[in-house]
Amino acid sequence: MISPSILGGNFSNTADCIKAIVASGADYAHFDVMDGHFVPEITFGVKMIENLRPLTDLIFDVHLMIEKPEETVKRYIDAGAGMVSVHAEATCHLWRTLTLIKDNGAEAGVAINPATPVSFIEPVLAIADYVLVMTVNPGWGGQSFIPQTVDKIRELDQRRKEDGYSYLIEADGGIGRGNIKMLYEAGLDIAVAGSAFFREDDKAGFIKDMLGDLR
Ligand code: DX5
Ligand code: ZN
């Protein structure tokens, strides 16, 4: 599945960004929430999700790059997020936060930075609906893919096969035509694409190419 990130679009018209994602045939729309603390940049918050929600039925995949996400996850879900991921590094109440997301009716994702090993989230693998492996350092679009992160996708894929976990694996950052096949072979289920998606004129063609013969 492909989840284009509106961060790759032009914020002077976010409605157009969402419409472009919907028209492309993508599976989800990815929202990068940044708080200026967990990551240096600030993007947007609950209101953006709320205002864009009526434009489509597409599932909103909300990636919270914010500290203490437990304090606000419910508000993002109430605003229309269908999937919410929180960073394992950003809360000391990870189990509670993931449970809170699930109890409020959304899919709960746990995100890990490039320097965070899979072992750090071992205790929550049984309850996570998806694991978001950051393939760049969080905070900016348009960065280069970090190849060393692929081993974590392989590890997560192997773990779920061995231990019967049902989480999906999402990867985010520096993904495009050049590395999607390798990521799929490593076990990836959901690819986020920001700049690679928005730089395309033929966005439906891009999604089709990214999915190859899978569909
Ligand atoms: C980075 C964000 C990504 C970003 C990806 O902090 O989490 O979702 O939009 O952008 P590209 O695809 O340009 O690397
Ligand atoms: Zn993201």
Side-chain angles (χ1 to χ4, degrees):
M1 290 156 292
I2 310 293
S3 190
S5 171
I6 66 162
L7 187 65
N10 186 330
F11 279 12
S12 69
N13 196 335
T14 47
D16 273 359
C17 295
I18 283 297
K19 286 175 189 162
I21 293 173
V22 173
S24 73
D27 302 277
Y28 309 113
H30 186 87
F31 288 79
D32 288 304
V33 178
M34 304 185 190
D35 67 351
H37 293 280
F38 181 68
V39 291
E41 298 294 322
I42 296 176
T43 51
F44 49 76
V46 171
K47 190 171 188 294
M48 181 72 86
I49 315 291
E50 200 170 65
N51 287 173
L52 294 175
R53 185 65 282 181
L55 300 182
T56 175
D57 290 333
L58 203 64
I59 294 172
F60 283 4
D61 161 23
V62 176
H63 175 196
L64 297 179
M65 284 164 275
I66 65 175
E67 287 178 4
K68 297 187 180 174
E70 62 274 13
E71 292 176 359
T72 47
V73 280
K74 186 176 182 309
R75 295 180 54 214
Y76 285 94
I77 297 166
D78 291 345
M83 298 163 65
V84 179
S85 55
V86 297
H87 271 265
E89 307 87 356
T91 177
C92 46
H93 302 292
L94 187 55
W95 189 292
R96 172 154 67 88
T97 310
L98 295 174
T99 306
L100 194 59
I101 295 168
K102 289 157 79 89
D103 287 351
N104 281 282
E107 301 282 303
V110 53
I112 49 172
N113 284 339
T116 303
V118 169
S119 59
F120 190 66
I121 55 166
E122 166 72 43
V124 299
L125 289 180
I127 62 163
D129 293 308
Y130 62 106
V131 178
L132 195 172
V133 176
M134 288 306 301
T135 43
V136 299
N137 288 298
W140 303 271
Q143 302 178 79
S144 296
F145 182 82
I146 300 173
Q148 290 87 342
T149 57
V150 181
D151 281 344
K152 290 195 279 184
I153 296 171
R154 289 196 191 97
E155 185 180 348
L156 283 161
D157 186 43
Q158 195 180 340
R159 287 300 309 275
R160 66 181 168 181
K161 284 175 183 151
E162 285 171 3
D163 300 327
Y165 296 139
S166 56
Y167 55 76
L168 295 180
I169 305 171
E170 180 173 30
D172 185 3
I175 300 175
R177 283 193 172 88
N179 51 16
I180 187 68
K181 189 163 186 286
M182 174 269 293
L183 289 166
Y184 174 70
E185 285 167 0
L188 189 68
D189 301 295
I190 306 169
V192 177
S195 47
F197 176 84
F198 277 99
R199 83 163 70 98
E200 292 281 333
D201 290 330
D202 178 11
K203 293 181 170 51
F206 174 76
I207 297 291
K208 200 160 167 285
D209 289 352
M210 289 286 278
L211 292 170
D213 296 328
L214 304 175
R215 218 172 244 184

